[in-house]
C-alpha cells in the first residue's frame, strides 16, 4: 500500500505505467480477451492482472496515467461485431471514467483491428470484467513540468 | 511520467515501494555505501538507483511511503564512527523530511550494525549523495482503509 495511490494498482501495474512513455499504448481487457497470448507479443511481454470490473480499473489507471492528446485514436473501444455503433453499458461506464479526466469520446475499432493494435501495445491489463466487449485501449500522454 | 507522483520515483523504485508491506525495511544510501553488494542480499536482490541528493530522495519516497509507527527503530541513520551523537548537515536535512510527515527522530545505528540491518532489508536505493553518512533506514507502515 502507498499513500495517495489507488490500492488496486499493484506493483507490476505501477511499474508498467511508470515505465511507459508518450505514445505507448495500454490495453485494458475483459476476461474473454486473449490477454495472455496477446500480452506475450507486447513490449512488456507478460500479462498484468487487476481482478476488478473494467470501469473500476479504468478509474484507478486514469488517477495517475495521462491520456495522449496528440492523436485522434488515443482512447478506443472494441466494437460489437457487425454493430459498430452499438454502445453497451460497459462502454458507457468506461466512457464516464474517461470523460471524468476530460478525455475524448472512445473511438470504435473493429474486433480484429483491435487485436492488431493490442499486439503493438506496451502492455495488457486483464481485468475481472465478465461482460462482453469490455476491451479498451489508451495511449499515454505527457505530464508537463509544472505538475511534476 | 505519472500524474501526482514525484518523477524521480522511477518504475523500478515504484514497483519496490508498492510491493513492500508492513515492517519491510528500506535502505536509502549515499554513494560510498556498498549498495550493490548489500542489495544482492536483500529481498529484492538488486540495487535501485535515484541519482539525486539523499534528502530529495527521502522527500520523494515519503510522498507515497508510510513510516511504521509500531516500532521504535522505524527511521534510522548510520552513526558517525566513534561519534554516535554527532548530527551532520545531511542528517539534519533528512530529519526535516521525516519530520515533515510527522515521522520520529532518527535513531542512530553503529556502522556495522547498520550494514547488518541493511542486509535484512527489502531493498536498497543508492542515491547520488556525495556527503559521508548519508545512509538511512525506513521501515514501512500501513495505509488505513479510509485513505485508500
Amino acid at each position: 500500500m502507498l499513500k495517495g495511490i489507488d490500492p488496486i494498482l499493484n506493483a507490476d501495474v505501477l511499474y508498467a505505467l511508470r515505465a511507459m512513455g508518450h505514445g505507448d499504448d495500454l490495453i485494458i481487457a475483459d476476461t474473454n480477451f486473449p490477454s495472455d497470448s496477446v500480452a506475450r507479443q507486447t513490449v512488456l511481454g507478460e500479462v498484468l492482472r487487476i481482478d476488478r470490473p473494467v470501469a473500476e480499473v479504468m478509474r484507478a489507471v486514469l488517477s495517475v496515467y495521462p491520456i495522449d492528446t496528440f492523436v485522434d485514436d488515443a482512447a478506443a473501444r472494441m466494437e460489437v461485431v457487425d454493430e459498430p455503433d452499438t454502445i453497451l453499458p460497459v462502454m458507457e461506464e468506461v466512457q464516464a471514467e474517461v470523460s471524468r479526466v476530460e478525455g475524448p469520446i472512445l473511438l470504435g475499432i473493429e474486433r480484429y483491428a483491435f487485436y492488431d493494435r493490442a499486439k503493438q501495445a506496451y502492455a495488457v491489463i486483464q481485468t475481472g470484467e465478465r461482460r462482453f466487449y469490455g476491451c479498451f485501449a489508451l495511449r499515454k500522454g505527457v505530464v508537463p513540468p509544472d505538475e511534476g
Side-chain angles (χ1 to χ4, degrees), chain A:
Chain A
M1 295 287 294
L2 293 173
K3 297 190 292 181
I5 298 180
D6 192 310
I8 74 172
L9 299 175
N10 60 53
D12 293 312
V13 169
L14 269 184
Y15 172 89
L17 298 182
R18 177 62 183 83
M20 293 173 68
H22 189 193
D24 282 335
D25 205 11
L26 177 69
I27 304 299
I28 301 181
D30 65 37
T31 46
N32 281 295
F33 188 76
S35 291
D36 187 49
S37 59
V38 169
R40 288 170 193 250
Q41 300 177 69
T42 62
V43 175
L44 189 65
E46 59 185 336
V47 70
L48 299 167
R49 296 181 194 281
I50 302 177
D51 197 22
R52 298 292 192 120
V54 68
E56 189 181 334
V57 173
M58 187 63 71
R59 182 187 292 212
V61 166
L62 291 176
S63 70
V64 295
Y65 182 97
I67 301 175
D68 199 357
T69 57
F70 286 50
V71 292
D72 292 334
D73 69 346
R77 60 177 173 82
M78 184 194 289
E79 291 174 353
V80 177
V81 173
D82 296 331
E83 295 180 44
D85 297 328
T86 297
I87 301 297
L88 299 171
V90 68
M91 297 170 183
E92 288 176 345
E93 292 170 20
V94 166
Q95 180 68 63
E97 298 303 334
V98 171
S99 297
R100 182 194 304 276
V101 295
E102 289 160 29
I105 300 300
L106 294 162
L107 179 72
I109 300 183
E110 183 276 332
R111 180 183 165 207
Y112 287 102
F114 188 94
Y115 286 179
D116 288 341
R117 175 165 168 175
K119 291 170 189 169
Q120 305 292 321
Y122 180 88
V124 177
I125 300 176
Q126 176 146 46
T127 73
E129 180 60 57
R130 294 289 309 277
R131 290 172 291 178
F132 295 153
Y133 299 105
C135 296
F136 304 89
L138 276 185
R139 288 196 203 281
K140 192 176 183 185
V142 293
V143 176
D146 56 337
E147 289 185 36

